[in-house]
């Protein structure tokens, strides 16, 4: 089987960029088959096709997963993979209408709200952990590095939350 | 007149209205999507992510309840509260419609535009 494995990283607020990239890959005949490691996209080589990719984020309980995937399948969406809470769907584009997984603004904003609250849960843990990590004797000479690492992680988290917040307010104000 | 306890659920969005209407009889999600599209004459299209969220929210607020399964699909139906909310919403629509009917000027304009007798 002709496969292509590609590493590419998208941040939590770049889902639309990622969707567009996957659509471009499909136009070139590379169809997402699965996701291996985080950031590892495995493509199957085939005929170039016009597909739309959409990423959903629900934070589903295990017992709700089946009915969720089934609803998307019934509506014509193929479930291609999962990564860190994100669910990847694909739909064939027929004609000029682009299929969407959200049909109104409110529910689309809801998706970003869920991503944001998912990140916010970890924020206090990191704030509590950060000074401790930099302080533990056990880590010896690595203390500085660990402290720096957790500080950058905290910065990244805060940045992600700000970006998601901006995404939501753009939806609210401009509807796109 | 709105019944006690339904006010906080009103007014319904168009999407929620059609979802509840479709769930007067037991239905699974995709059937709700198809019915809403059909009976709204294509004016209300429900995408699966939106519908999934709406069903979850309606279940949480106890307007619908799961009554069974169809393969991997969950089958829902309106609760008594859901029914009452729907009735109150329809009552609101009646008032809205009557107000429009009474605006004879608007009405004749529509008749001429549509080229048919309403």
């Amino acid at each position: 089987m002709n496969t292509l494995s590609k590493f590419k990283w998208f941040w939590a607020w770049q889902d639309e960029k990622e969707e567009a990239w996957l659509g471009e890959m499909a136009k070139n005949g590379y169809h997402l088959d699965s996701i291996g490691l985080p950031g590892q996209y495995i493509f199957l080589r085939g005929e170039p096709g016009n597909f739309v990719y959409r990423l959903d984020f629900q934070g589903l309980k295990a017992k709700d997963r089946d009915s969720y995937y089934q609803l998307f399948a019934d509506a014509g969406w193929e479930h291609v993979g999962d990564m860190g809470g994100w669910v990847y769907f694909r739909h064939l584009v027929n004609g000029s209408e682009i299929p969407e997984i959200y049909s109104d603004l409110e529910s689309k904003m809801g998706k970003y709200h869920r991503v944001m609250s998912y990140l916010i849960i970890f924020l206090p843990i990191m704030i509590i952990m950060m000074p401790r990590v930099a302080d533990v004797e056990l880590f010896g000479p690595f203390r500085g590095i660990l402290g720096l690492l957790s500080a950058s992680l905290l910065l990244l988290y805060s940045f992600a939350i700000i970006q998601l917040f901006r995404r939501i307010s753009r939806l609210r104000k401009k509807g796109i | 007149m709105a019944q006690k306890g339904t006010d906080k659920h009103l007014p319904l969005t168009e999407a929620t209205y059609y979802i509840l209407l479709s769930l007067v009889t037991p239905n699974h999600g995709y059937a709700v999507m198809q019915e809403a599209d059909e009976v709204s004459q294509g004016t209300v299209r429900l995408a699966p992510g939106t519908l999934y969220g709406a069903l979850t929210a309606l279940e949480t607020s106890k307007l619908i309840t799961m009554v069974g399964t169809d393969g991997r699909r969950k089958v829902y139906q309106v609760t008594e509260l859901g029914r009452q909310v729907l009735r109150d919403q329809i009552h609101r629509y009646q008032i809205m419609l009557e107000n429009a009917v009474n605006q004879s000027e608007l009405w004749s304009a529509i008749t001429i535009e549509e080229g048919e007798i309403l």
Side-chain angles (χ1 to χ4, degrees):
Chain A
M1 201 60 90
N2 208 344
T3 61
L4 170 75
S5 169
K6 233 177 150 80
F7 275 95
K8 202 169 164 79
W9 191 255
F10 293 96
W11 300 107
W13 59 91
Q14 296 178 313
D15 57 321
E16 282 164 335
K17 204 175 157 191
E18 189 173 351
E19 291 168 355
W21 177 66
L22 292 169
E24 279 306 309
M25 290 299 286
K27 282 200 175 77
N28 293 320
Y30 291 101
H31 305 284
L32 184 65
D33 181 56
S34 60
I35 290 159
L37 302 163
Q40 186 196 15
Y41 300 83
I42 297 156
F43 296 94
L44 271 183
R45 178 117 209 216
E47 290 295 310
N50 194 5
F51 289 94
V52 58
Y53 283 83
R54 288 292 177 259
L55 273 62
D56 196 17
F57 192 98
Q58 286 287 349
L60 291 175
K61 291 180 191 131
K63 68 175 172 69
D64 295 326
R65 240 164 242 158
D66 279 359
S67 65
Y68 168 75
Y69 290 136
Q70 186 62 51
L71 179 60
F72 276 74
D74 286 344
W77 290 89
E78 186 187 349
H79 171 222
V80 216
D82 303 84
M83 177 164 53
W86 291 91
V87 190
Y88 292 67
F89 290 105
R90 163 171 66 211
H91 198 298
L92 185 68
V93 180
N94 267 324
S96 59
E97 200 183 332
I98 306 289
E100 291 295 343
I101 59 169
Y102 288 105
S103 43
D104 60 46
L105 273 183
E106 201 66 34
S107 56
K108 198 171 177 181
M109 285 194 279
K111 173 176 111 173
Y112 294 108
H113 273 296
R114 285 190 293 275
V115 179
M116 211 162 69
S117 41
Y118 188 79
L119 291 178
I120 286 171
I121 291 170
F122 289 99
L123 204 59
I125 302 172
M126 289 170 65
I127 292 170
I128 295 163
M129 288 295 290
M130 199 176 68
R132 306 283 189 287
V133 169
D135 219 33
V136 175
E137 282 296 334
L138 192 73
F139 295 124
F142 299 111
R143 273 194 316 199
I145 299 167
L146 281 171
L148 204 67
L149 264 177
S150 48
S152 359
L153 212 57
L154 183 65
L155 261 170
L156 182 64
Y157 259 80
S158 318
F159 186 65
I161 289 165
I162 291 166
Q163 290 290 62
L164 287 165
F165 194 77
R166 289 179 57 197
R167 182 72 193 90
I168 294 167
S169 69
R170 196 178 89 207
L171 278 171
R172 184 172 291 131
K173 283 178 194 151
K174 297 188 182 161
I176 50 163
Chain B
M1 192 65 69
Q3 298 286 313
K4 221 177 168 185
T6 62
D7 276 8
K8 65 174 176 181
H9 301 288
L10 295 169
L12 299 172
T13 64
E14 238 182 313
T16 312
Y17 173 71
Y18 280 111
I19 294 169
L20 287 180
L21 204 57
S22 166
L23 292 177
V24 169
T25 52
N27 257 338
H28 58 70
Y30 186 55
V32 172
M33 270 170 88
Q34 288 176 306
E35 264 188 36
D37 188 21
E38 198 185 312
V39 303
S40 75
Q41 301 172 21
T43 60
V44 173
R45 292 262 175 91
L46 293 164
T50 300
L51 178 61
Y52 186 83
L55 289 173
T56 309
L58 286 171
E59 196 180 15
T60 307
S61 55
K62 297 194 160 56
L63 298 189
I64 63 169
T65 185
M66 196 180 130
V67 291
T69 53
D70 172 2
R72 306 201 315 166
R73 299 171 189 90
K74 285 183 185 175
V75 177
Y76 293 99
Q77 190 175 12
V78 287
T79 60
E80 199 36 60
L81 176 64
R83 243 172 241 276
Q84 195 52 52
V85 167
L86 203 46
R87 279 189 208 110
D88 291 344
Q89 178 65 63
I90 291 164
H91 182 65
R92 284 186 182 211
Y93 286 148
Q94 274 174 339
I95 296 170
M96 287 159 81
L97 200 59
E98 276 161 27
N99 286 319
V101 171
N102 293 338
Q103 286 287 355
S104 55
E105 240 173 84
L106 173 72
W107 204 235
S108 59
I110 291 171
T111 314
I112 292 158
E113 270 173 33
E114 303 268 317
E116 58 189 43
I117 297 150
L118 293 171

mmCIF file of all heavy atoms in Angstrom, chain A residues 60 64 66-67 70-72 74 97 100-104 107, chain B residues 28-30 33 45-52 72-74:
data_model
loop_
_atom_site.group_PDB
_atom_site.id
_atom_site.type_symbol
_atom_site.label_atom_id
_atom_site.label_comp_id
_atom_site.label_asym_id
_atom_site.label_seq_id
_atom_site.Cartn_x
_atom_site.Cartn_y
_atom_site.Cartn_z
ATOM 1 N N LEU A 60 -16.184 13.806 24.715
ATOM 2 C CA LEU A 60 -17.237 12.801 24.898
ATOM 3 C C LEU A 60 -16.908 11.802 25.990
ATOM 4 O O LEU A 60 -15.753 11.466 26.204
ATOM 5 C CB LEU A 60 -17.412 12.006 23.606
ATOM 6 C CG LEU A 60 -17.996 12.721 22.407
ATOM 7 C CD1 LEU A 60 -17.961 11.776 21.218
ATOM 8 C CD2 LEU A 60 -19.407 13.165 22.695
ATOM 9 N N ASP A 64 -20.943 7.608 25.063
ATOM 10 C CA ASP A 64 -21.639 8.413 24.052
ATOM 11 C C ASP A 64 -20.964 8.367 22.689
ATOM 12 O O ASP A 64 -21.483 8.907 21.715
ATOM 13 C CB ASP A 64 -21.723 9.875 24.507
ATOM 14 C CG ASP A 64 -22.584 10.026 25.743
ATOM 15 O OD1 ASP A 64 -23.565 9.260 25.870
ATOM 16 O OD2 ASP A 64 -22.290 10.896 26.582
ATOM 17 N N ASP A 66 -20.213 5.958 20.421
ATOM 18 C CA ASP A 66 -20.824 5.236 19.310
ATOM 19 C C ASP A 66 -21.910 6.038 18.617
ATOM 20 O O ASP A 66 -21.930 6.150 17.397
ATOM 21 C CB ASP A 66 -21.433 3.914 19.817
ATOM 22 C CG ASP A 66 -20.372 2.834 19.953
ATOM 23 O OD1 ASP A 66 -19.205 3.127 19.641
ATOM 24 O OD2 ASP A 66 -20.730 1.710 20.366
ATOM 25 N N SER A 67 -22.817 6.594 19.411
ATOM 26 C CA SER A 67 -23.951 7.298 18.813
ATOM 27 C C SER A 67 -23.488 8.583 18.134
ATOM 28 O O SER A 67 -24.042 8.999 17.117
ATOM 29 C CB SER A 67 -25.022 7.602 19.865
ATOM 30 O OG SER A 67 -24.523 8.495 20.827
ATOM 31 N N GLN A 70 -21.932 7.571 14.847
ATOM 32 C CA GLN A 70 -23.000 7.090 13.976
ATOM 33 C C GLN A 70 -23.777 8.251 13.353
ATOM 34 O O GLN A 70 -24.100 8.227 12.165
ATOM 35 C CB GLN A 70 -23.956 6.172 14.761
ATOM 36 C CG GLN A 70 -25.007 5.503 13.903
ATOM 37 C CD GLN A 70 -24.396 4.587 12.852
ATOM 38 O OE1 GLN A 70 -23.561 3.740 13.157
ATOM 39 N NE2 GLN A 70 -24.788 4.767 11.597
ATOM 40 N N LEU A 71 -24.050 9.276 14.152
ATOM 41 C CA LEU A 71 -24.786 10.434 13.642
ATOM 42 C C LEU A 71 -24.011 11.103 12.500
ATOM 43 O O LEU A 71 -24.581 11.454 11.464
ATOM 44 C CB LEU A 71 -25.045 11.437 14.777
ATOM 45 C CG LEU A 71 -25.782 12.726 14.391
ATOM 46 C CD1 LEU A 71 -27.157 12.432 13.814
ATOM 47 C CD2 LEU A 71 -25.917 13.652 15.594
ATOM 48 N N PHE A 72 -22.706 11.249 12.695
ATOM 49 C CA PHE A 72 -21.877 11.846 11.639
ATOM 50 C C PHE A 72 -21.835 10.937 10.411
ATOM 51 O O PHE A 72 -21.906 11.422 9.276
ATOM 52 C CB PHE A 72 -20.452 12.121 12.156
ATOM 53 C CG PHE A 72 -20.335 13.430 12.882
ATOM 54 C CD1 PHE A 72 -20.857 13.587 14.157
ATOM 55 C CD2 PHE A 72 -19.711 14.519 12.288
ATOM 56 C CE1 PHE A 72 -20.757 14.790 14.830
ATOM 57 C CE2 PHE A 72 -19.612 15.739 12.948
ATOM 58 C CZ PHE A 72 -20.137 15.877 14.221
ATOM 59 N N ASP A 74 -24.138 8.811 9.445
ATOM 60 C CA ASP A 74 -25.444 8.907 8.793
ATOM 61 C C ASP A 74 -25.530 10.162 7.927
ATOM 62 O O ASP A 74 -26.148 10.168 6.874
ATOM 63 C CB ASP A 74 -26.568 8.960 9.845
ATOM 64 C CG ASP A 74 -26.810 7.601 10.489
ATOM 65 O OD1 ASP A 74 -26.348 6.588 9.933
ATOM 66 O OD2 ASP A 74 -27.455 7.561 11.560
ATOM 67 N N GLU A 97 -21.710 23.464 -2.879
ATOM 68 C CA GLU A 97 -21.996 23.578 -1.451
ATOM 69 C C GLU A 97 -20.952 22.840 -0.617
ATOM 70 O O GLU A 97 -20.682 21.667 -0.826
ATOM 71 C CB GLU A 97 -23.389 23.004 -1.157
ATOM 72 C CG GLU A 97 -23.943 23.503 0.162
ATOM 73 C CD GLU A 97 -25.295 22.867 0.487
ATOM 74 O OE1 GLU A 97 -26.019 22.508 -0.466
ATOM 75 O OE2 GLU A 97 -25.600 22.732 1.681
ATOM 76 N N GLU A 100 -20.755 21.260 6.139
ATOM 77 C CA GLU A 100 -20.236 21.738 7.423
ATOM 78 C C GLU A 100 -20.713 20.825 8.542
ATOM 79 O O GLU A 100 -21.747 20.173 8.409
ATOM 80 C CB GLU A 100 -20.721 23.170 7.703
ATOM 81 C CG GLU A 100 -20.120 24.234 6.791
ATOM 82 C CD GLU A 100 -18.607 24.405 6.966
ATOM 83 O OE1 GLU A 100 -18.064 23.958 7.998
ATOM 84 O OE2 GLU A 100 -17.979 24.967 6.051
ATOM 85 N N ILE A 101 -19.968 20.791 9.644
ATOM 86 C CA ILE A 101 -20.429 20.008 10.795
ATOM 87 C C ILE A 101 -21.191 20.881 11.788
ATOM 88 O O ILE A 101 -21.861 20.377 12.669
ATOM 89 C CB ILE A 101 -19.271 19.251 11.487
ATOM 90 C CG1 ILE A 101 -18.187 20.210 11.980
ATOM 91 C CG2 ILE A 101 -18.667 18.202 10.574
ATOM 92 C CD1 ILE A 101 -17.166 19.535 12.902
ATOM 93 N N TYR A 102 -21.084 22.209 11.633
ATOM 94 C CA TYR A 102 -21.892 23.121 12.449
ATOM 95 C C TYR A 102 -22.725 24.003 11.523
ATOM 96 O O TYR A 102 -22.184 24.579 10.578
ATOM 97 C CB TYR A 102 -21.003 23.984 13.343
ATOM 98 C CG TYR A 102 -20.389 23.190 14.471
ATOM 99 C CD1 TYR A 102 -19.057 22.817 14.438
ATOM 100 C CD2 TYR A 102 -21.171 22.773 15.540
ATOM 101 C CE1 TYR A 102 -18.507 22.047 15.449
ATOM 102 C CE2 TYR A 102 -20.631 22.006 16.555
ATOM 103 C CZ TYR A 102 -19.308 21.654 16.507
ATOM 104 O OH TYR A 102 -18.774 20.878 17.515
ATOM 105 N N SER A 103 -24.020 24.094 11.813
ATOM 106 C CA SER A 103 -24.887 24.862 10.931
ATOM 107 C C SER A 103 -25.273 26.212 11.529
ATOM 108 O O SER A 103 -25.998 26.968 10.895
ATOM 109 C CB SER A 103 -26.135 24.051 10.569
ATOM 110 O OG SER A 103 -26.654 23.377 11.695
ATOM 111 N N ASP A 104 -24.846 26.500 12.723
ATOM 112 C CA ASP A 104 -25.060 27.858 13.235
ATOM 113 C C ASP A 104 -23.863 28.321 14.075
ATOM 114 O O ASP A 104 -23.045 27.522 14.519
ATOM 115 C CB ASP A 104 -26.382 27.993 14.004
ATOM 116 C CG ASP A 104 -26.444 27.057 15.202
ATOM 117 O OD1 ASP A 104 -25.462 26.972 15.959
ATOM 118 O OD2 ASP A 104 -27.494 26.412 15.392
ATOM 119 N N SER A 107 -23.379 27.101 17.935
ATOM 120 C CA SER A 107 -22.806 25.777 18.177
ATOM 121 C C SER A 107 -21.327 25.732 17.776
ATOM 122 O O SER A 107 -20.546 24.990 18.348
ATOM 123 C CB SER A 107 -23.607 24.696 17.457
ATOM 124 O OG SER A 107 -23.704 24.956 16.083
ATOM 125 N N HIS B 28 -34.398 8.930 15.885
ATOM 126 C CA HIS B 28 -32.963 9.070 16.121
ATOM 127 C C HIS B 28 -32.457 10.327 15.407
ATOM 128 O O HIS B 28 -33.177 10.936 14.612
ATOM 129 C CB HIS B 28 -32.191 7.825 15.697
ATOM 130 C CG HIS B 28 -32.346 7.439 14.265
ATOM 131 N ND1 HIS B 28 -31.810 8.182 13.242
ATOM 132 C CD2 HIS B 28 -33.009 6.404 13.687
ATOM 133 C CE1 HIS B 28 -32.095 7.599 12.093
ATOM 134 N NE2 HIS B 28 -32.843 6.530 12.328
ATOM 135 N N GLY B 29 -31.223 10.701 15.710
ATOM 136 C CA GLY B 29 -30.667 11.968 15.251
ATOM 137 C C GLY B 29 -30.770 12.218 13.759
ATOM 138 O O GLY B 29 -31.204 13.287 13.330
ATOM 139 N N TYR B 30 -30.388 11.223 12.969
ATOM 140 C CA TYR B 30 -30.379 11.460 11.519
ATOM 141 C C TYR B 30 -31.794 11.657 10.979
ATOM 142 O O TYR B 30 -32.017 12.478 10.092
ATOM 143 C CB TYR B 30 -29.684 10.304 10.793
ATOM 144 C CG TYR B 30 -29.529 10.564 9.322
ATOM 145 C CD1 TYR B 30 -28.895 11.727 8.868
ATOM 146 C CD2 TYR B 30 -30.024 9.669 8.368
ATOM 147 C CE1 TYR B 30 -28.757 11.988 7.517
ATOM 148 C CE2 TYR B 30 -29.878 9.919 7.005
ATOM 149 C CZ TYR B 30 -29.245 11.087 6.590
ATOM 150 O OH TYR B 30 -29.118 11.346 5.250
ATOM 151 N N MET B 33 -32.699 15.175 11.517
ATOM 152 C CA MET B 33 -32.079 16.022 10.491
ATOM 153 C C MET B 33 -32.889 16.033 9.207
ATOM 154 O O MET B 33 -33.151 17.080 8.620
ATOM 155 C CB MET B 33 -30.679 15.484 10.157
ATOM 156 C CG MET B 33 -29.574 16.044 10.996
ATOM 157 S SD MET B 33 -28.039 15.126 10.717
ATOM 158 C CE MET B 33 -27.372 16.028 9.356
ATOM 159 N N ARG B 45 -31.447 23.600 8.042
ATOM 160 C CA ARG B 45 -30.529 22.495 7.813
ATOM 161 C C ARG B 45 -29.716 22.299 9.072
ATOM 162 O O ARG B 45 -29.095 23.234 9.559
ATOM 163 C CB ARG B 45 -29.577 22.839 6.662
ATOM 164 C CG ARG B 45 -30.249 22.923 5.315
ATOM 165 C CD ARG B 45 -30.042 21.611 4.569
ATOM 166 N NE ARG B 45 -30.766 21.595 3.315
ATOM 167 C CZ ARG B 45 -30.249 22.000 2.156
ATOM 168 N NH1 ARG B 45 -29.018 22.463 2.120
ATOM 169 N NH2 ARG B 45 -30.955 21.936 1.056
ATOM 170 N N LEU B 46 -29.741 21.095 9.603
ATOM 171 C CA LEU B 46 -28.991 20.816 10.829
ATOM 172 C C LEU B 46 -27.754 19.999 10.507
ATOM 173 O O LEU B 46 -27.850 18.885 10.002
ATOM 174 C CB LEU B 46 -29.876 20.040 11.806
ATOM 175 C CG LEU B 46 -31.076 20.787 12.375
ATOM 176 C CD1 LEU B 46 -32.061 19.815 12.991
ATOM 177 C CD2 LEU B 46 -30.624 21.799 13.401
ATOM 178 N N ALA B 47 -26.587 20.566 10.792
ATOM 179 C CA ALA B 47 -25.348 19.820 10.615
ATOM 180 C C ALA B 47 -25.165 18.913 11.837
ATOM 181 O O ALA B 47 -25.673 19.218 12.919
ATOM 182 C CB ALA B 47 -24.183 20.790 10.463
ATOM 183 N N PRO B 48 -24.450 17.794 11.685
ATOM 184 C CA PRO B 48 -24.402 16.812 12.773
ATOM 185 C C PRO B 48 -23.809 17.329 14.084
ATOM 186 O O PRO B 48 -24.287 16.967 15.160
ATOM 187 C CB PRO B 48 -23.569 15.669 12.200
ATOM 188 C CG PRO B 48 -22.840 16.237 11.042
ATOM 189 C CD PRO B 48 -23.718 17.325 10.494
ATOM 190 N N GLY B 49 -22.773 18.176 14.005
ATOM 191 C CA GLY B 49 -22.172 18.704 15.235
ATOM 192 C C GLY B 49 -23.155 19.573 15.994
ATOM 193 O O GLY B 49 -23.259 19.500 17.221
ATOM 194 N N THR B 50 -23.890 20.388 15.248
ATOM 195 C CA THR B 50 -24.892 21.259 15.844
ATOM 196 C C THR B 50 -26.021 20.441 16.457
ATOM 197 O O THR B 50 -26.439 20.678 17.590
ATOM 198 C CB THR B 50 -25.455 22.219 14.781
ATOM 199 O OG1 THR B 50 -24.381 23.004 14.267
ATOM 200 C CG2 THR B 50 -26.525 23.127 15.350
ATOM 201 N N LEU B 51 -26.480 19.436 15.705
ATOM 202 C CA LEU B 51 -27.578 18.606 16.197
ATOM 203 C C LEU B 51 -27.152 17.810 17.435
ATOM 204 O O LEU B 51 -27.901 17.734 18.412
ATOM 205 C CB LEU B 51 -28.046 17.645 15.097
ATOM 206 C CG LEU B 51 -29.162 16.691 15.521
ATOM 207 C CD1 LEU B 51 -30.413 17.441 15.937
ATOM 208 C CD2 LEU B 51 -29.489 15.708 14.412
ATOM 209 N N TYR B 52 -25.944 17.260 17.399
ATOM 210 C CA TYR B 52 -25.471 16.472 18.540
ATOM 211 C C TYR B 52 -25.475 17.325 19.813
ATOM 212 O O TYR B 52 -25.957 16.896 20.859
ATOM 213 C CB TYR B 52 -24.073 15.909 18.282
ATOM 214 C CG TYR B 52 -23.639 14.979 19.380
ATOM 215 C CD1 TYR B 52 -24.032 13.655 19.373
ATOM 216 C CD2 TYR B 52 -22.897 15.459 20.462
ATOM 217 C CE1 TYR B 52 -23.682 12.807 20.402
ATOM 218 C CE2 TYR B 52 -22.551 14.608 21.496
ATOM 219 C CZ TYR B 52 -22.938 13.292 21.459
ATOM 220 O OH TYR B 52 -22.605 12.461 22.493
ATOM 221 N N ARG B 72 -26.430 1.625 16.696
ATOM 222 C CA ARG B 72 -25.603 2.496 17.536
ATOM 223 C C ARG B 72 -26.258 3.843 17.778
ATOM 224 O O ARG B 72 -25.700 4.704 18.448
ATOM 225 C CB ARG B 72 -24.241 2.706 16.874
ATOM 226 C CG ARG B 72 -23.535 1.383 16.540
ATOM 227 C CD ARG B 72 -22.056 1.520 16.359
ATOM 228 N NE ARG B 72 -21.642 2.657 15.551
ATOM 229 C CZ ARG B 72 -20.385 3.096 15.500
ATOM 230 N NH1 ARG B 72 -19.466 2.506 16.232
ATOM 231 N NH2 ARG B 72 -20.062 4.111 14.754
ATOM 232 N N ARG B 73 -27.444 4.036 17.188
ATOM 233 C CA ARG B 73 -28.138 5.331 17.310
ATOM 234 C C ARG B 73 -28.946 5.394 18.588
ATOM 235 O O ARG B 73 -29.542 4.406 19.010
ATOM 236 C CB ARG B 73 -29.067 5.548 16.120
ATOM 237 C CG ARG B 73 -28.367 5.580 14.798
ATOM 238 C CD ARG B 73 -29.366 5.579 13.653
ATOM 239 N NE ARG B 73 -28.660 5.402 12.397
ATOM 240 C CZ ARG B 73 -28.412 4.215 11.853
ATOM 241 N NH1 ARG B 73 -28.835 3.103 12.443
ATOM 242 N NH2 ARG B 73 -27.739 4.122 10.725
ATOM 243 N N LYS B 74 -28.984 6.595 19.173
ATOM 244 C CA LYS B 74 -29.856 6.805 20.328
ATOM 245 C C LYS B 74 -31.205 7.309 19.822
ATOM 246 O O LYS B 74 -31.248 8.167 18.935
ATOM 247 C CB LYS B 74 -29.262 7.854 21.263
ATOM 248 C CG LYS B 74 -28.098 7.354 22.081
ATOM 249 C CD LYS B 74 -27.619 8.444 23.022
ATOM 250 C CE LYS B 74 -26.375 8.008 23.780
ATOM 251 N NZ LYS B 74 -25.836 9.096 24.600
#
